[in-house]
Amino acid sequence: MLQLVYISTATPGQPSNAIDTILAASRRNNARDAITGLLYADGKRFLQALEGPEAAVEAAYARIKADPRHRAAVILSRRTIDAREFGEWDMAYRAPGNDAAGFMSRISLLARDASPSVRATFESFAETRRAA
Ligand SMILES: Cc1cc2nc3c(=O)[nH]c(=O)nc-3n(C[C@H](O)[C@H](O)[C@H](O)COP(=O)(O)O)c2cc1C
């Protein structure tokens, strides 16, 4: 199986429910394609892990990368994994003004089975974005 982690920047000026639309398509497609992972979103940045059969993950990433709702997608990590590190498909969305401590513990919980480096990527990203 392949696991990809990328980071990107949200395109400004999107409707406030943009994230709901992204999540609905992700849940539907990822269930169909046996993809699991985690999407971090705070309205400005995305950090996403995708894992599953190699061809399915590559195809999903190609679709996602071309999506005009974000830009400047950069792959942070590409690894072959023997077992899934994210049991299901999940999203952690932090709305402006949301409790930072609660959000941090949610990220830690969702990434608890990820490899130390992938977990650290999510935790330090959320920490850096705390005040953003
Ligand atoms: C930040 C971001 C993350 C996304 N994550 C996924 C995803 O995990 N799976 C997925 O199928 N589509 C994801 N999408 C949506 C895809 O870009 C694309 O719109 C969708 O796969 C098209 O699916 P459809 O043909 O079923 O409408 C994401 C889009 C953005 C902007």
Side-chain angles (χ1 to χ4, degrees):
M1 275 187 300
L2 175 67
Q3 183 191 71
L4 278 186
V5 179
Y6 76 87
I7 193 165
S8 68
T9 302
T11 310
Q14 292 178 58
S16 57
N17 68 345
I19 195 69
D20 299 330
T21 318
I22 290 172
L23 191 58
S26 302
R27 287 207 187 284
R28 189 179 63 237
N29 293 340
N30 296 351
R32 176 196 65 201
D33 299 337
I35 291 175
T36 50
L38 176 59
L39 175 65
Y40 165 102
D42 63 18
K44 289 201 173 117
R45 307 266 187 232
F46 296 109
L47 174 67
Q48 185 171 24
L50 295 166
E51 63 188 16
E54 184 169 348
V57 171
E58 297 282 15
Y61 182 67
R63 271 195 330 267
I64 295 168
K65 191 174 164 58
D67 193 315
R69 291 173 288 191
H70 65 167
R71 60 188 165 80
V74 174
I75 292 182
L76 299 181
S77 141
R78 172 189 285 270
R79 303 162 57 224
T80 300
I81 48 171
D82 294 328
R84 290 180 191 273
E85 297 181 354
F86 297 89
E88 45 191 301
W89 172 249
D90 251 308
M91 185 183 73
Y93 174 62
R94 182 170 171 216
N98 260 12
D99 159 46
F103 185 71
M104 285 298 301
S105 41
R106 175 157 160 77
I107 291 279
S108 299
L109 182 68
L110 291 173
R112 67 188 178 280
D113 295 327
S115 70
S117 74
V118 168
R119 192 173 64 239
T121 299
F122 273 93
E123 289 178 347
S124 60
F125 189 75
E127 185 63 47
T128 311
R129 302 287 304 156
R130 213 177 168 77

